[in-house]
Amino acid sequence: MRPKICVPIVASLRDRIVKEAADVSRLPVQMAEWRVDFYAGYARETASIVREIKEVLGDKELIVTLRTEYEGGEPNGSRFDYFGLLEELLDQGEADYVDAEISRDPVRLKELCRRYADSPTKVIGSYHDFQQTPSEDCIVRTLEKAKECGCAAGKFACMPVDPEDVDTLLTATARFKEKDHEYPVITMSMGEMGVKSRLYGGLYGSCISFGCVDRTSAPGQIPCTQMTEVFDKIYRDPKHIFLIGFMGTGKSTVAKELQYRSGKPEIDTDAWIEEREGRSIRDMFEAEGEEYFRDQETAMLDELGLQKSSVVSCGGGMVLRELNIRKMRALGRIVLLTAAPETVYDRVKASTDRPLLQDQMNVDHIREMMEMRMPFYERAADICVVTDNRMICDIAREILDRI
Ligand code: S3P
């Protein structure tokens, strides 16, 4: 999913705030966040400023945020009555979202969400950690808490201390979305190290990415124009054609035919990984085990984001991870090729480079594995194409006709 880009409005006085909103209305972004804690004028004017910002922003959505110092906000914000302001804005119903900190007073937040369930303004339940990245479990639990409180979306921002922390945040995001496809989450790893999460977060399920115009409101924000350029490359829809299916269903052969017919280059995920690693898949399985190879598959899908529109022939097990399916969906259309176990056996019986069939090259084993995997293939596929007893050119034509 291509995340919406949101930029902050951080001026301190009314005129400048409205001027910043007018500037945002001309930018290639979908949302603005007014950070009320940067505002230095009369607190009683807040709601009328929200109205003016909305008018100036046109069709862009508005999040209004009073960030407390504890969650990285400006000292200025402490003069507001926190829940009083949220209530006023939810009553007013003109902002699209208000941000409410989950850890401040969860009981009161739950009550607020319940009371204002019908307000056109929705609550985003947020949590920030500027010191470190908590565990994957803790991130998932916090997002669950936002939902339990009745917030319309959950937001989690934390600071990486080493590069693995960025992966922890992204993996936690994907783990949450695996269990709960529908609930919107916004996650980010802050600082320079976390930039990857602002660009690739959409592949993991984050629905908004915060950038900046010239002044940042949180560490690690990158200019929204650069974000748009990268997003255009990553999330062009439908960008790649992914061919999935069991071993021997003809993915590589059909990919070559599609390359010939569509002019899109062909990428074979197995060959890509073998080249990167400088060794065969069989050697990888033998030396490091299957999980290691699966990790390489998951990692290469991020790199595919920056490749030009291609036909991607995937290893037969690519769909076994829900995260891979999510990434492929964000990057293009997924075509499932099928064949009967007997057909597959005929096609692969002479091959020695498929470690999962190596010791059991027979129709029964192929059938058993195929049945086990079929739910994964079917869940991932946008379209399904049968390949038994068909000419390659017919299969390719059908795919191009249907996508
Ligand atoms: C695998 C299929 C292979 C290769 C690896 C694992 C699988 O790709 O990725 O041996 O788990 O089905 P092909 O489907 O191209 O043979």
Side-chain angles (χ1 to χ4, degrees):
M1 170 179 48
R2 180 180 176 128
K4 292 181 181 172
I5 299 177
C6 182
V7 289
I9 296 175
V10 284
S12 56
L13 294 174
R14 184 172 189 137
D15 288 356
R16 300 295 307 167
I17 291 168
V18 176
K19 159 88 174 50
E20 279 190 19
D23 292 344
V24 172
S25 74
R26 290 185 286 273
L27 289 172
V29 302
Q30 295 71 43
M31 304 182 91
E33 179 186 45
W34 179 31
R35 282 283 299 272
V36 180
D37 48 301
F38 280 82
Y39 168 54
Y42 293 117
R44 63 170 185 273
E45 287 188 16
T46 313
S48 73
I49 297 178
V50 166
R51 176 164 306 142
E52 210 173 332
I53 295 177
K54 262 308 268 183
E55 274 166 23
V56 170
L57 275 180
D59 60 358
K60 312 226 188 264
E61 291 178 292
L62 175 66
I63 307 176
V64 181
T65 302
L66 174 58
R67 179 75 56 234
T68 60
E69 268 187 282
Y70 176 70
E71 288 217 339
E74 297 291 293
N76 218 10
S78 54
R79 71 204 162 97
F80 288 89
D81 165 12
Y82 190 79
F83 279 98
L85 179 67
L86 292 180
E87 278 171 19
E88 188 184 355
L89 297 176
L90 287 163
D91 261 331
Q92 183 195 26
E94 294 199 22
D96 297 282
Y97 302 95
V98 286
D99 178 298
E101 292 165 6
I102 307 169
S103 57
R104 195 183 164 97
D105 187 342
V107 176
R108 213 163 155 194
L109 177 59
K110 196 169 182 173
E111 169 56 18
L112 187 84
C113 291
R114 194 193 56 74
R115 206 148 32 94
Y116 287 99
D118 295 332
S119 168
T121 302
K122 300 295 169 208
V123 178
I124 298 175
S126 72
Y127 184 89
H128 293 72
D129 189 331
F130 281 84
Q131 308 307 323
Q132 41 127 31
T133 297
S135 69
E136 220 179 282
D137 282 351
C138 173
I139 300 171
V140 172
R141 252 187 285 113
T142 309
L143 293 170
E144 284 167 355
K145 199 161 130 196
K147 187 174 182 189
E148 279 158 28
C149 283
C151 301
K155 175 181 169 192
F156 197 101
C158 54
M159 194 60 87
V161 177
D162 58 51
E164 279 179 14
D165 286 340
V166 184
D167 292 332
T168 301
L169 184 273
L170 291 170
T171 312
T173 310
R175 219 180 90 193
F176 178 90
K177 292 294 283 188
E178 263 160 42
K179 280 203 296 192
D180 199 333
H181 298 270
E182 300 298 326
Y183 191 67
V185 295
I186 306 150
T187 62
M188 75 222 65
S189 195
M190 293 182 285
E192 189 104 340
M193 212 182 261
V195 163
K196 172 181 167 188
S197 73
R198 296 186 190 270
L199 297 175
Y200 289 95
L203 298 184
Y204 295 77
S206 178
C207 65
I208 300 176
S209 187
F210 288 76
C212 63
V213 186
D214 37 33
R215 245 177 104 190
T216 61
S217 63
Q221 287 178 351
I222 31 182
C224 61
T225 43
Q226 275 178 27
M227 286 176 90
T228 304
E229 274 170 32
V230 178
F231 280 16
D232 285 348
K233 289 203 181 103
I234 297 180
Y235 304 103
R236 217 173 58 211
D237 187 37
K239 181 176 172 165
H240 299 314
I241 302 172
F242 289 97
L243 298 182
I244 61 165
F246 198 75
M247 294 171 264
T249 46
K251 291 164 297 195
S252 311
T253 319
V254 173
K256 291 199 170 54
E257 182 70 15
L258 285 173
Q259 169 179 30
Y260 170 70
R261 285 170 178 265
S262 69
K264 291 177 192 273
E266 182 232 347
I267 296 175
D268 183 307
T269 63
D270 287 345
W272 171 301
I273 294 169
E274 284 183 325
E275 199 185 318
R276 275 293 157 91
E277 288 277 317
R279 54 185 167 165
S280 70
I281 291 175
R282 212 171 66 189
D283 289 348
M284 250 177 277
F285 268 62
E286 263 168 33
E288 328 272 354
E290 182 174 346
E291 271 313 285
Y292 176 83
F293 171 70
R294 299 294 173 210
D295 287 342
Q296 308 317 307
E297 287 187 314
T298 304
M300 82 153 291
L301 287 174
D302 281 352
E303 293 186 48
L304 276 184
L306 291 179
Q307 300 297 313
K308 65 179 175 186
S309 184
S310 306
V311 179
V312 184
S313 158
C314 299
M318 185 66 96
V319 292
L320 297 178
R321 287 188 179 175
E322 183 70 28
L323 174 55
N324 295 358
I325 298 178
R326 176 176 307 287
K327 290 183 180 185
M328 287 192 278
R329 284 222 177 97
L331 294 172
R333 302 296 301 279
I334 307 177
V335 180
L336 169 62
L337 301 185
T338 67
E342 293 75 8
T343 313
V344 167
Y345 174 71
D346 261 356
R347 290 177 185 165
V348 302
K349 61 183 183 236
S351 115
T352 53
D353 55 3
R354 291 182 168 97
L356 294 174
L357 294 180
Q358 201 161 288
D359 302 325
Q360 296 183 76
M361 187 60 89
N362 60 68
V363 175
D364 285 343
H365 177 59
I366 290 173
R367 180 178 298 109
E368 200 180 307
M369 261 184 97
M370 214 186 242
E371 278 170 7
M372 221 178 64
R373 287 184 171 189
M374 204 39 100
F376 293 91
Y377 290 130
E378 285 176 346
R379 190 162 68 238
D382 291 311
I383 61 172
C384 175
V385 177
V386 178
T387 66
D388 303 82
N389 306 319
R390 290 183 69 188
M391 312 249 290
I392 303 295
C393 56
D394 284 345
I395 299 170
R397 201 175 313 121
E398 179 181 341
I399 292 173
L400 291 174
D401 281 350
R402 289 179 61 193
I403 55 172

